[in-house]
Amino acid sequence: MRIVRVLLTATDATTRQRLRRRELGSELEREWESSTRKARLLDQRAPADTVRVMTDGRTVPDIAREVTSATGWAERHHASPP
């Protein structure tokens, strides 16, 4: 069995824009600080072989295609049965 780690990433500007759509008032700053702290930790601590997928300006299906391609999952599930 092969394990492929995938880390979805976004620029700070994109992350802040997404949080603005989701959070209200004082919660926005708290979520922004938490999000940026966690993003930095994930980036620093993710193993070197982690596949990073940038999500800025992309649709969910487009991101999903890249993730399934990177993991090889799509090929395994579209292959003919033995």
Side-chain angles (χ1 to χ4, degrees), residues 47-73:
D49 64 345
T50 300
V51 176
R52 286 167 168 77
V53 175
M54 182 59 77
T55 63
D56 292 58
R58 297 176 67 190
T59 64
V60 171
D62 185 42
I63 295 164
R65 277 190 293 276
E66 185 172 346
V67 169
T68 56
S69 176
T71 61
W73 185 83

Side-chain angles (χ1 to χ4, degrees), residues 7-81:
L7 180 60
L8 301 179
T9 65
T11 62
D12 287 348
T14 295
T15 301
R16 191 158 185 91
Q17 180 183 32
R18 289 173 180 167
L19 285 171
R20 272 194 200 116
R21 289 191 304 238
R22 191 177 82 201
E23 300 299 332
L24 300 173
S26 62
E27 292 299 312
L28 174 60
E29 283 308 310
R30 184 177 9 241
E31 288 299 321
W32 169 248
E33 290 171 9
S34 176
S35 177
T36 55
R37 181 177 44 79
K38 291 172 190 173
R40 303 294 183 263
L41 285 172
L42 280 168
D43 189 51
Q44 292 167 1
R45 295 181 181 177
D49 64 345
T50 300
V51 176
R52 286 167 168 77
V53 175
M54 182 59 77
T55 63
D56 292 58
R58 297 176 67 190
T59 64
V60 171
D62 185 42
I63 295 164
R65 277 190 293 276
E66 185 172 346
V67 169
T68 56
S69 176
T71 61
W73 185 83
E75 292 81 23
R76 286 195 307 273
H77 289 279
H78 290 298
S80 301

